[in-house]
Amino acid sequence: MLRNGETGDWIGTFQGHKGAVWSCCLDTNALRAASGSADFSAKVWDALTGDELHSFEHKHIVRACAFSEDTHLLLTGGVEKILRVYDMNRPDAAPRELDKAPGNVRTVAWLHSDQTILSSCSDMGGVRLWDVRTGKIVQTLETKAPVTSSEVSQDSRFITTADGSSVKFWDANHFGLVKSYDMPCTVESASLEPKSGSKFIVGGEDMWVHVFDFFTGEEITCNKGHHGPVHCVRFAPGGESYASGSEDGTIRIWQLSPPNADDNEAVNSNGKPTVGVNEVARKIEGFHIPKEEEQQQQQAEG
């Protein structure tokens, strides 16, 4: 489905898959969408009309797909353990296949102006970085548990990963580990705030959506509302809000609290700015009727 990112309003549904959709994405200009499915196919759609443009058949479940930054290429991966690159300018041509991945591909992404491909596997730890030119693995970012979520930051400085109960931030150019934070539960997904990079969000098995400080790892906000594990969280490109997708069948959009929010700009459990405790007390005082006036009012009514 395509929905309005600010209101959540339904825009349209891409119809054609005959199995669960494991992955979906928009290209840089939001003119095309792509999806990977358990029906052994990846499809490309016109994001304005909803029409199916191409269907790329695979030999097993497609778990991940991603458009290149320049929108000319589509990357897919899945249970076949093969990363494929389709040329959107020659969709009928056979895809380019990289060296065989070591396990079932769970996540894929592009970085370094489409010169490098990132992938993780569902049955082993680590993130692998591939040289697009040679099709070979050039670096592995080691993690103990399988990486269920990987994201390249908007400024291309960081790679954000979630594995087990850990969220890690890696230098996207030198590949060193910048920060690693242990979470209170098994996490499925994490996303870095795209503008300032000062906050990150996490979703996982505890059914809550947490907001943390990037520099200290301290929790800023905890959003409760989902009734099942949270499988995916992502910031809006402008960083003003973020979305969470859950096993409960809902997607929730949360507002990010403004920077340096005081108690009058706190965020409630629904992620909406709410009135602080002091402000509420002041408003109640404003409506308070002194006892003498109250008695006079009762006598007058009597």
Side-chain angles (χ1 to χ4, degrees), residues 282-300:
R282 282 200 294 273
K283 285 187 176 176
I284 292 172
E285 279 173 20
F287 288 110
H288 180 67
I289 302 173
K291 282 194 173 171
E292 297 84 10
E293 287 182 33
E294 198 173 8
Q295 287 168 354
Q296 290 170 3
Q297 198 172 345
Q298 286 171 352
Q299 287 170 358

Side-chain angles (χ1 to χ4, degrees), residues 63-297:
R63 284 298 305 263
C65 61
F67 280 109
S68 58
E69 193 180 337
D70 68 9
T71 74
H72 295 316
L73 305 171
L74 178 70
L75 170 65
T76 68
V79 181
E80 276 185 272
K81 305 180 183 179
I82 297 172
L83 292 170
R84 291 185 173 91
V85 178
Y86 293 86
D87 187 339
M88 292 293 94
N89 298 319
R90 298 167 56 234
D92 297 331
R96 183 176 168 212
E97 295 185 0
L98 279 65
D99 275 6
K100 201 168 177 69
N104 296 342
V105 177
R106 174 72 183 262
T107 70
V108 295
W110 298 82
L111 66 161
H112 302 152
S113 301
D114 304 329
Q115 299 302 303
T116 307
I117 282 171
L118 174 159
S119 73
S120 71
C121 298
S122 57
D123 43 6
M124 64 180 63
V127 171
R128 279 144 207 94
L129 296 153
W130 307 71
D131 184 319
V132 172
R133 192 172 45 83
T134 64
K136 297 188 181 302
I137 297 171
V138 291
Q139 185 90 19
T140 300
L141 311 179
E142 299 291 350
T143 64
K144 290 179 182 175
V147 170
T148 53
S149 167
S150 62
E151 176 191 72
V152 179
S153 64
Q154 202 174 82
D155 61 8
S156 301
R157 285 178 59 204
F158 297 109
I159 298 167
T160 304
T161 62
D163 74 285
S165 58
S166 168
V167 174
K168 295 181 174 67
F169 300 94
W170 311 80
D171 185 312
N173 296 304
H174 305 290
F175 307 123
L177 181 61
V178 178
K179 291 186 181 294
S180 179
Y181 294 118
D182 290 327
M183 297 290 124
C185 72
T186 300
V187 294
E188 287 273 336
S189 186
S191 182
L192 183 64
E193 194 278 312
K195 290 303 179 187
S196 67
S198 61
K199 298 173 183 176
F200 66 96
I201 50 173
V202 173
E205 287 189 354
D206 66 357
M207 303 187 279
W208 300 343
V209 182
H210 305 266
V211 183
F212 292 94
D213 185 291
F214 171 78
F215 301 103
T216 65
E218 290 181 18
E219 184 171 293
I220 299 168
T221 308
C222 178
N223 298 304
K224 301 175 183 180
H226 282 298
H227 303 290
V230 177
H231 290 308
C232 185
V233 293
R234 282 294 181 266
F235 268 102
E240 69 286 345
S241 63
Y242 50 98
S244 56
S246 167
E247 206 167 294
D248 65 12
T250 67
I251 291 171
R252 291 176 181 263
I253 298 173
W254 314 84
Q255 198 73 30
L256 191 67
S257 58
N260 305 320
D262 60 20
D263 62 350
N264 295 340
E265 294 173 322
V267 171
N268 69 10
S269 62
N270 292 322
K272 304 285 186 194
T274 187
V275 181
V277 175
N278 294 346
E279 183 68 18
V280 170
R282 282 200 294 273
K283 285 187 176 176
I284 292 172
E285 279 173 20
F287 288 110
H288 180 67
I289 302 173
K291 282 194 173 171
E292 297 84 10
E293 287 182 33
E294 198 173 8
Q295 287 168 354
Q296 290 170 3
Q297 198 172 345

Side-chain angles (χ1 to χ4, degrees), residues 31-33 43-47 49-56 67 88 91-92:
L31 296 177
R32 287 177 299 188
K43 292 182 185 291
V44 177
W45 314 82
D46 185 315
T49 65
D51 294 338
E52 181 181 312
L53 300 176
H54 314 292
S55 184
F56 302 122
F67 280 109
M88 292 293 94
D92 297 331

